Amino acid sequence: MTQETQAPAPPRRPVRQLLAASVGNAVEWYDWYAYTFLATYIAAQVFPESADDSLVPLLSTFAVFAVGFFMRPVGGLLMGAVADRHGRRAALTTTILLMGGSSLLVGLTPSYASAGLAAPVVLVTARLLQGLSVGGEFAASTTFLVESAGPGRRGLFSSFQYVSTTLGQLAASGLAAVLVSTLGDGPMGEWGWRVPFLLGAVLSLVGFWIRRGAEETLRMPEHPAAPRPGLFDALRHHPRASLLICGITAGGTLAYYTWTSYLPTYAELSGVDKGDTLFASTLALAFFAALQPLGGLLSDRFGRKPPLLFFGLGFTLLAVALLRAVDSLTSLLLVACAGMVLLTGFTSVSAAVNAEIFPARVRAAGIGFPYSLTVALFGGTAPYLGTLFRELDRPGLFAWYVSALCLLSSLVYLRLPETAHRDLDR
């Protein structure tokens, strides 16, 4: 051990560490998905079609674009740098405060009728902050989860990244459904859509309190003047690892967003009742969350490459057949659950694999930027491309696109070194 650094002792309270990452991550994604589920009500208040100002529809388009395709990679880079320079706990508390503040801002956004152009400006600002927070959350919580795990448990701990993400999504959709059925369209459109965001701000404070009590997992410099990693050190000194993150993530994020976000719309366009699609997707998401710890445990025992190849080759061979089979509630439920089983091979281990590729000094930023950029390019565009292919009367091409990208990621998995049983650099 040099005089410059001091290695942290293994966390004495691994359950508290797991709770700190998981609860905060669930709250982050609850806030994020609440906007998705309530977007129509928000748009009617903030982006009305009758608005005289031509900037209103432009701002509406900008909000979606900026958050989905710009702020998440920026958040991954900036918050990853915070985690590498000042510690994982500092980044985790920052991201959840950002999300809580932006959720409060959404909940308090004035209507266009009362504030004019200021209303969409406030909402765009809130969504930009949410994008920054979500982009940084994966980098910080991934490194924190994996570094908090005991020997032989990194896969198990990393699997809770998607457990908590899915629980946040289910909580947001459940609350939105209860409010809509209880209040009706009138009160819901006037004020009911604000409730989930105000609640999200309160939940963020709870997550902040839990995270403040977590133990730091980063080896911090002993001397205050010791050099800290620069913003682009990971990209500059570890370009191969950065490209590996992109290759590992591309097929996985496309399959994930296809099965969790686009599949209900795809089924509805294929003739399945809208209520049935929501029912099937909710059951499939709950099933998916339950599978994650099992996938993580198996990867701790047998390695990271087998589940990754199970996912990649499975979607390469079956994506086209699975999507073609969707034509009823029963087939949708079977296809959704089959996809979730395959997808678990990626989601349950990706956080561990990403963290094991980079040295601790630049781990968070090294993961955050290439991961978020790949998600923006391939995951965030999945629903739009699926809809575009259908509008071009070539819906089957989208399934082949999923299959092809998963094949490319499978080739990356074949070349990956096995890292499950190596000591983690700290």
Side-chain angles (χ1 to χ4, degrees):
M1 186 70 57
T2 68
Q3 288 187 330
E4 290 184 356
T5 60
Q6 182 178 1
R12 299 184 301 274
R13 299 174 294 172
V15 175
R16 177 65 181 261
Q17 299 288 97
L18 194 61
L19 186 65
S22 299
V23 170
N25 195 48
V27 171
E28 287 262 352
W29 286 99
Y30 160 86
D31 287 338
W32 179 262
Y33 279 114
Y35 183 92
T36 302
F37 296 129
L38 298 169
T40 55
Y41 294 102
I42 299 171
Q45 290 287 312
V46 182
F47 303 110
E49 295 180 1
S50 59
D52 295 329
D53 198 314
S54 61
L55 282 177
V56 172
L58 177 62
L59 281 171
S60 176
T61 303
F62 175 70
V64 176
F65 177 85
V67 171
F69 297 93
F70 179 67
M71 291 309 291
R72 284 183 65 170
V74 172
L77 182 63
L78 294 180
M79 290 298 104
V82 169
D84 289 334
R85 293 174 64 87
H86 304 289
R88 317 308 190 203
R89 186 171 56 187
L92 288 170
T93 52
T94 300
T95 57
I96 201 165
L97 284 179
L98 270 175
M99 182 57 80
S102 57
S103 183
L104 179 63
L105 196 58
V106 173
L108 298 178
T109 298
S111 66
Y112 184 84
S114 64
L117 189 60
V121 169
V122 170
L123 185 64
V124 167
T125 301
R127 286 297 283 173
L128 291 175
L129 291 175
Q130 282 189 326
L132 188 73
S133 174
V134 167
E137 174 67 18
F138 184 87
S141 61
T142 291
T143 53
F144 181 81
L145 275 169
V146 176
E147 291 171 354
S148 294
R153 287 291 182 265
R154 294 199 299 264
L156 174 63
F157 270 53
S158 76
S159 71
F160 278 84
Q161 181 77 29
Y162 278 92
V163 172
S164 53
T165 296
T166 305
L167 292 178
Q169 183 176 358
L170 288 171
S173 63
L175 180 57
V178 169
L179 286 172
V180 170
S181 62
T182 303
L183 297 177
D185 283 342
M188 192 68 194
E190 292 174 9
W191 58 268
W193 62 269
R194 301 179 186 274
V195 172
F197 299 103
L198 299 177
L199 177 61
V202 175
L203 292 175
S204 296
L205 293 177
V206 176
F208 173 76
W209 175 76
I210 294 174
R211 287 183 164 182
R212 287 238 9 222
E215 297 178 53
E216 181 55 63
T217 61
L218 176 65
R219 178 183 297 175
M220 299 297 291
E222 196 172 73
H223 195 282
R228 304 287 180 96
L231 189 62
F232 296 102
D233 274 10
L235 291 172
R236 185 181 300 115
H237 300 300
H238 303 277
R240 182 177 181 275
S242 299
L243 288 174
L244 273 179
I245 296 292
C246 296
I248 291 167
T249 306
T253 190
L254 175 60
Y256 175 78
Y257 279 94
T258 298
W259 249 253
T260 62
S261 299
Y262 178 62
L263 188 60
T265 301
Y266 177 87
E268 187 179 345
L269 293 173
S270 300
V272 183
D273 179 74
K274 183 176 182 179
D276 288 342
T277 65
L278 294 175
F279 172 74
S281 62
T282 300
L283 285 183
L285 281 172
F287 175 62
F288 175 69
L291 286 175
Q292 300 311 297
L294 176 61
L297 281 170
L298 289 174
S299 79
D300 283 330
R301 179 160 187 176
F302 300 108
R304 314 294 186 221
K305 292 180 69 172
L308 286 172
L309 288 169
F310 169 75
F311 151 74
L313 296 177
F315 267 103
T316 298
L317 297 172
L318 298 175
V320 175
L322 286 173
L323 288 176
R324 281 180 178 173
V326 176
D327 59 7
S328 66
L329 171 60
T330 301
S331 64
L332 172 60
L333 191 55
L334 291 173
V335 166
C337 289
M340 295 307 185
V341 172
L342 293 174
L343 193 56
T344 296
F346 168 77
T347 54
S348 65
V349 304
S350 62
V353 173
N354 291 344
E356 290 162 352
I357 287 175
F358 280 96
R361 185 174 182 271
V362 294
R363 180 171 290 140
I367 295 170
F369 181 70
Y371 172 84
S372 296
L373 181 62
T374 308
V375 169
L377 290 175
F378 297 106
T381 59
Y384 302 100
L385 285 176
T387 304
L388 176 62
F389 282 128
R390 183 169 286 277
E391 289 179 353
L392 296 174
D393 201 26
R394 302 297 297 272
L397 286 180
F398 180 72
W400 285 106
Y401 168 59
V402 175
S403 177
L405 202 60
C406 287
L407 175 60
L408 289 176
S409 283
S410 296
L411 297 177
V412 175
Y413 305 151
L414 282 170
R415 300 293 302 273
L416 276 179
E418 182 55 71
T419 56
H421 308 298
R422 294 180 182 178
D423 290 336
L424 186 71
D425 175 71
R426 295 181 185 274

